[in-house]
Amino acid sequence: MDFTLSEEQQMLQDTVARLVRGEYSFEKRLEFSETELGFSEDFWKQLGELGLTAVPFSEELGGFGGGGVEIQSVMTELGRGLCLEPYLQSVVLGGGILSQAGNAEQQEQYLSGVATGETKVAVGLQEPQAFYNQNEVSTKAEKSGDGYTLNGRKAVVIGGHCADLIIVSARTSGDVRDADGISLFAVDPNAEGVERRSYPTIDGAKGCDVFLNNVKVGADALLGEEGKAADVIEYQTGRAIAALCAEAVGCMEEANELTLEYLKQRKQFGVPIGKFQVLQHRMVDMMSELEQARSMAILAASVADDEQSDERRRTLAAAKNVINRAGQFISEKGIQSHGGIGMTWEYSFAHYAKRLVMIGHQLGDDDFHLERYASLLQAG
């Protein structure tokens, strides 16, 4: 099969690559991570000005009408730069939910701002007790007058500390693990009863837990049909998984380059340690894992915007499982090859390893997706 990017796709990837190389050195990333915002507002604005935050949206919204491959091109380069900006949360997942579930008025209200980068969206789907099961929702939404009253807690909402809009799942009917009865709501993070407790994550980003205490929202806050949000959540999570796979590949590419360069430069017994056969074999294994991960990321991107099917579910589960394992392998072997310097704060490799660990736990770890793949295979 021909996986060569089209001229437009290659231009898109080159644009992101130049921007990241020019504006996102490792030293700057450390500075961005330590700010209250946790990323660069200027870099986020540049993403918007270049139209990169509009990639997956329709031309009516000023977008490119891009799909999984275009998102892959952007996310791979953001992964190489270890960029902290909430592109995945706001553009891919948040924008995707609004595009699929929002009505015309909601899309007009929110999506143009998301496409320009002026509106940052965070998505709260995960709960502390759920262990990756997004159908396990104990947050409640009870009808109250012309709207709803929300009560519950959402965990590890990346970018939620600075979001202009938070999309949360809440149960309007059914038992705590039922797929039926889950609804999605657009919540103003500054509304009365919304509490955000932010904290740094291991990869240098910022997450928060969102507490909803008798939060009143109008009927216009409901995204899509009441109680029927599970399919939307599953579909858009699949798109986000494909984007995460692409970001992981960018991280792995850079991690391998750093390791190879270190093996060429570091000397022991008067020769570069890359001359030692055991380290050559280790490097070959790391490159093999990267190639397999890259292939699975391409496959995930190719099905990201397909109609929902068991084949799409299996492909995305397989891709996330393979890429999680490859990320862990490359991180561990790279650290072993570097020795102590591989875990120092001042050296970038450690931060790539931490980001790969975080990606390995976002939207399901390798065990979760292996079980999901097996269950889908049996069901098929």
Side-chain angles (χ1 to χ4, degrees):
M1 296 181 67
D2 182 11
F3 293 121
T4 305
L5 296 177
S6 69
E7 185 177 350
E8 287 185 353
Q9 291 167 342
Q10 189 62 59
M11 287 176 60
L12 173 64
Q13 185 163 346
D14 291 344
T15 298
V16 186
R18 283 195 302 270
L19 179 64
V20 172
R21 283 197 304 267
E23 302 292 334
Y24 228 93
S25 67
F26 174 64
E27 292 73 23
K28 285 185 178 180
R29 182 189 189 270
L30 291 180
E31 294 175 7
F32 300 153
S33 178
E34 292 170 358
T35 63
E36 184 177 352
L37 187 61
F39 58 86
S40 169
E41 186 68 47
D42 289 340
F43 186 78
W44 181 255
K45 288 179 180 177
Q46 289 184 70
L47 290 175
E49 290 168 358
L50 290 171
L52 298 174
T53 50
V55 166
F57 302 115
S58 65
E59 294 181 6
E60 290 77 12
L61 292 167
F64 299 148
V69 176
E70 286 74 19
I71 290 295
Q72 180 191 27
S73 298
V74 175
M75 291 297 297
T76 300
E77 295 304 324
L78 294 180
R80 287 183 69 90
L82 279 181
C83 298
L84 296 160
E85 287 65 32
Y87 191 93
L88 174 75
Q89 291 74 25
S90 186
V91 176
V92 181
L93 187 53
I97 289 174
L98 290 167
S99 296
Q100 184 177 353
N103 57 36
E105 291 78 11
Q106 291 165 332
Q107 291 183 9
E108 184 178 354
Q109 180 180 0
Y110 298 122
L111 277 182
S112 59
V114 176
T116 60
E118 295 174 11
T119 300
K120 301 184 193 72
V121 182
V123 182
L125 303 175
Q126 193 70 36
E127 299 192 355
Q129 79 290 344
F131 193 69
Y132 306 128
N133 181 3
Q134 294 180 338
N135 288 341
E136 185 167 335
V137 177
S138 58
T139 298
K140 295 251 177 113
E142 298 177 338
K143 285 193 174 180
S144 175
D146 294 333
Y148 298 84
T149 299
L150 306 180
N151 283 283
R153 175 185 176 186
K154 295 297 176 180
V156 199
V157 182
I158 305 297
H161 67 293
C162 64
D164 304 300
L165 179 73
I166 300 179
I167 298 172
V168 300
S169 58
R171 187 163 293 285
T172 46
S173 63
D175 292 332
V176 68
R177 293 184 179 178
D178 288 347
D180 198 38
I182 301 172
S183 302
L184 286 166
F185 295 90
V187 177
D188 179 354
N190 297 312
E192 184 177 353
V194 178
E195 180 185 357
R196 292 180 283 180
R197 298 180 187 174
S198 61
Y199 44 80
T201 54
I202 65 166
D203 57 341
K206 278 187 169 55
C208 74
D209 283 7
V210 177
F211 297 83
L212 306 168
N213 303 305
N214 294 318
V215 177
K216 306 287 186 183
V217 297
D220 58 350
L222 177 67
L223 298 172
E225 186 179 351
E226 181 182 307
K228 302 298 181 183
D231 289 343
V232 175
I233 291 170
E234 183 186 14
Y235 185 82
Q236 294 302 330
T237 296
R239 292 179 67 249
I241 284 172
L244 265 181
C245 289
E247 182 187 355
V249 168
C251 290
M252 285 186 261
E253 287 174 349
E254 195 68 19
N256 275 5
E257 289 177 16
L258 287 167
T259 304
L260 183 58
E261 189 63 28
Y262 183 79
L263 295 182
K264 291 177 180 178
Q265 293 181 355
R266 176 74 167 90
K267 290 186 176 182
Q268 196 170 35
F269 308 116
V271 296
I273 61 175
K275 295 283 188 180
F276 301 149
Q277 193 174 55
V278 65
L279 295 181
Q280 292 175 358
H281 288 173
R282 182 182 293 166
M283 194 70 236
V284 169
D285 290 341
M286 291 171 65
M287 296 301 294
S288 297
E289 290 289 331
L290 171 60
E291 285 303 315
Q292 188 173 5
R294 186 182 286 122
S295 297
M296 293 304 289
I298 292 170
L299 182 59
S302 70
V303 304
D305 294 309
D306 287 356
E307 291 185 8
Q308 186 64 287
S309 65
D310 281 347
E311 181 62 27
R312 178 180 184 268
R313 294 183 179 101
R314 284 195 295 266
T315 298
L316 293 170
K320 190 63 161 62
N321 172 268
V322 169
I323 281 167
N324 286 354
R325 290 190 294 104
Q328 181 178 351
F329 183 91
I330 287 172
S331 298
E332 291 175 353
K333 300 304 181 184
I335 289 170
Q336 290 173 10
S337 299
H338 279 88
I341 193 176
M343 286 303 294
T344 55
W345 182 260
E346 296 79 11
Y347 185 53
S348 61
F349 184 91
H351 297 264
Y352 284 99
K354 289 177 180 180
R355 180 58 190 146
L356 287 169
V357 169
M358 188 68 177
I359 289 174
H361 290 277
Q362 282 184 271
L363 302 178
D365 61 16
D366 50 333
D367 288 338
F368 174 83
H369 284 286
L370 181 62
E371 292 175 9
R372 178 172 169 78
Y373 182 86
S375 64
L376 287 166
L377 206 58
Q378 290 175 352

